[in-house]
Amino acid sequence: MSVRTLPLLFLNLGGEMLYVLDQRLRAQNIPGDKARKVLNDIISTMFNRKFMEELFKPQELYSKKALRTVYDRLAHASIMRLNQASMDKLYDLMTMAFKYQVLLCPRPKDVLLVTFNHLDAIKGFIQDSPTILHQVDETLRQLTETYGTLSAGEFQLIRQTLLIFFQDLHIRVSTFLKDKVQNSNGRFVLPVSGPVPWGTQVPGLIRMFNNKGEEVKKTEFKHGGNYVPASKEGSFELHGDRVLKLGTNMYSMNRPVETHMSGASKNLNSQTQESIAPNPLAKEELNFLARLLGGMEIKKPSGPEPGFRLNLFTTDEEEEHAALCRPKELTYEVINIQVTQDKQQKEELARIMGEFEIPEQPKQSTNKGDDLLAMMDEL
């Protein structure tokens, strides 16, 4: 397991979350000023300096439940309201989109280009907010400093860590199904065509060398694909042509996207059972969340502007049906954590929470009037 994976996982999932929210805000005809405020508030919170400092500290990945708690709080850092079923669907779309991108990366290092694509697109959402733009640029610089000198082997370990995190998620997404890149069981179809990784050659030739390192024989073979050489390497600079299209906004054409529970997800191994079985890392996860959520420094929105509800389903009835039919193994009960900004109290909070097991939380209401700002205050 790589201890450098968490920032890449968080930023890419966060980018996918913003893509989905932007698409739904437009689909529901939310006024432009409100939509911009929602995206600005979430992005400002996501790239908060103290939060990024905690995120970039070397640490192992935690459970899906722990990360889900972070995204639940992040999605609620604005005047927008989401019901539980819509939040579930949002998280499903985020995870499946990034899983697909990790699978398709030509080489492990390209996951960094995917991250840059997400951050480049996020900057497009906040072009009129120079302060938030500066926050994103600082994160881009931090990514370059942290990952720019890593070896190919270290990136391979990062990719393996990501794939282990995603390995049991097989949720079907309508866009992927229509494009025939996902099977009916929720598993992705990997292509046998297109550009090969930068720095490699198109398969089809075997070279044999003697003990002096001299080439003595060549043998060609049919590889069964339609491969071409890579045109150029994507830019790892602050600004530049990433070349790779993975991580760009697949909702830019306003395509409706639905998720479906795959029957294959019922075949669970011990990794997936963490959502329904006691987690032996509960103490570490609580301490992690106390630090991470404490770094967000979310403040209550000021002013009389009312909140509004965003639905990721076509109708309210679909949202209610999804909440009732969601498989238990895909249900993430959000851990309620009260985070204070006082350093001494925060450390004490982490110590106390670490001594207790996580109590069973009551099922969250799916009442359409649930105010996520109140929910934020409870965290």
Side-chain angles (χ1 to χ4, degrees):
M1 298 284 285
S2 171
V3 295
R4 291 293 187 185
T5 308
L6 184 59
L8 298 179
L9 178 64
F10 174 81
L11 292 171
N12 284 288
L13 288 180
E16 289 298 324
M17 179 179 73
L18 291 166
Y19 290 164
V20 177
L21 293 179
D22 173 66
Q23 191 273 339
R24 292 310 301 165
L25 289 167
R26 287 185 281 109
Q28 290 188 208
N29 298 316
I30 302 299
D33 56 339
K34 282 191 174 183
R36 283 191 297 273
K37 177 173 175 54
V38 167
L39 295 179
N40 283 0
D41 288 347
I42 292 175
I43 295 170
S44 178
T45 302
M46 180 176 172
F47 291 92
N48 176 276
R49 181 179 60 82
K50 290 184 178 180
F51 180 62
M52 284 293 117
E53 287 176 359
E54 287 291 341
L55 191 72
F56 274 84
K57 291 178 180 178
Q59 54 195 298
E60 291 188 0
L61 287 187
Y62 289 83
S63 69
K64 298 175 182 67
K65 181 187 294 185
L67 286 175
R68 167 59 190 270
T69 301
V70 175
Y71 287 109
D72 210 297
R73 182 177 175 88
L74 184 61
H76 304 159
S78 69
I79 59 174
M80 180 184 66
R81 303 170 184 175
L82 286 171
N83 282 351
Q84 187 64 40
S86 285
M87 188 65 212
D88 287 338
K89 180 177 178 180
L90 173 60
Y91 192 70
D92 289 345
L93 290 170
M94 292 159 51
T95 52
M96 293 308 293
F98 185 44
K99 177 181 179 179
Y100 181 55
Q101 293 156 15
V102 174
L103 286 170
L104 287 191
C105 278
R107 55 180 181 166
K109 186 178 181 180
D110 288 337
V111 72
L112 189 55
L113 291 177
V114 175
T115 311
F116 286 164
N117 275 337
H118 278 117
L119 267 60
D120 289 344
I122 289 173
K123 290 169 66 175
F125 291 141
I126 51 172
Q127 290 179 343
D128 299 329
S129 304
T131 302
I132 309 177
L133 270 172
H134 177 70
Q135 290 178 259
V136 180
D137 281 339
E138 283 300 311
T139 301
L140 273 166
R141 293 188 185 94
Q142 197 166 1
L143 279 169
T144 302
E145 292 175 2
T146 302
Y147 297 95
T149 58
L150 295 188
S151 67
E154 289 172 308
F155 275 110
Q156 173 65 6
L157 188 57
I158 288 174
R159 183 175 184 272
Q160 288 177 340
T161 304
L162 288 171
L163 291 177
I164 290 171
F165 180 83
F166 289 125
Q167 67 179 347
D168 296 306
L169 294 177
H170 306 298
I171 300 165
R172 295 173 293 165
V173 178
S174 61
T175 297
F176 294 147
L177 292 170
K178 290 174 183 176
D179 292 343
K180 300 187 184 302
V181 299
Q182 190 178 31
N183 291 325
S184 59
N185 61 4
R187 297 181 183 275
F188 288 110
V189 179
L190 300 183
V192 289
S193 61
V196 297
W198 174 256
T200 64
Q201 298 178 352
V202 174
L205 181 65
I206 299 175
R207 293 186 176 92
M208 283 164 276
F209 299 83
N210 60 20
N211 56 5
K212 296 180 180 180
E214 299 169 341
E215 185 177 312
V216 295
K217 186 178 179 181
K218 291 182 180 180
T219 303
E220 294 185 356
F221 67 94
K222 292 183 179 180
H223 51 69
N226 184 24
Y227 298 105
V228 295
S231 58
K232 60 179 180 178
E233 185 178 24
S235 172
F236 291 91
E237 302 297 326
L238 185 61
H239 306 283
D241 182 7
R242 312 302 181 193
V243 180
L244 197 69
K245 300 304 179 185
L246 298 174
T248 54
N249 192 349
M250 71 175 180
Y251 309 97
S252 57
M253 301 303 292
N254 204 27
R255 304 163 74 184
V257 180
E258 299 294 331
T259 57
H260 313 276
M261 300 307 125
S262 171
S265 66
K266 295 178 182 179
N267 299 323
L268 303 172
N269 64 19
S270 58
Q271 180 93 4
T272 305
Q273 292 291 340
E274 67 181 2
S275 61
I276 57 178
N279 191 339
L281 296 178
K283 177 179 177 180
E284 289 80 358
E285 288 176 1
L286 280 172
N287 291 338
F288 160 73
L289 288 174
R291 295 195 311 272
L292 208 55
L293 298 181
M296 281 187 172
E297 295 187 327
I298 297 178
K299 298 179 181 179
K300 289 185 179 181
S302 58
E305 188 170 9
F308 66 92
R309 175 174 167 260
L310 189 71
N311 189 352
L312 266 72
F313 295 83
T314 306
T315 64
D316 293 346
E317 289 73 19
E318 285 186 17
E319 184 181 50
E320 293 170 356
H321 178 73
L324 294 173
C325 297
R326 187 170 181 83
K328 187 175 181 180
E329 69 268 14
L330 291 176
T331 299
Y332 302 96
E333 294 182 359
V334 178
I335 306 169
N336 291 327
I337 298 178
Q338 180 66 40
V339 180
T340 176
Q341 297 307 314
D342 182 83
K343 182 177 180 181
Q344 184 176 357
Q345 291 182 349
K346 187 166 62 176
E347 292 175 350
E348 180 68 5
L349 172 68
R351 185 190 65 79
I352 294 174
M353 287 194 299
E355 296 175 355
F356 293 89
E357 295 181 356
I358 304 174
E360 184 177 354
Q361 300 293 332
K363 292 184 178 180
Q364 296 193 3
S365 170
T366 55
N367 186 342
K368 297 181 182 63
D370 284 350
D371 189 342
L372 295 191
L373 297 179
M375 182 180 178
M376 258 178 46
D377 291 338
E378 294 175 2
L379 288 176

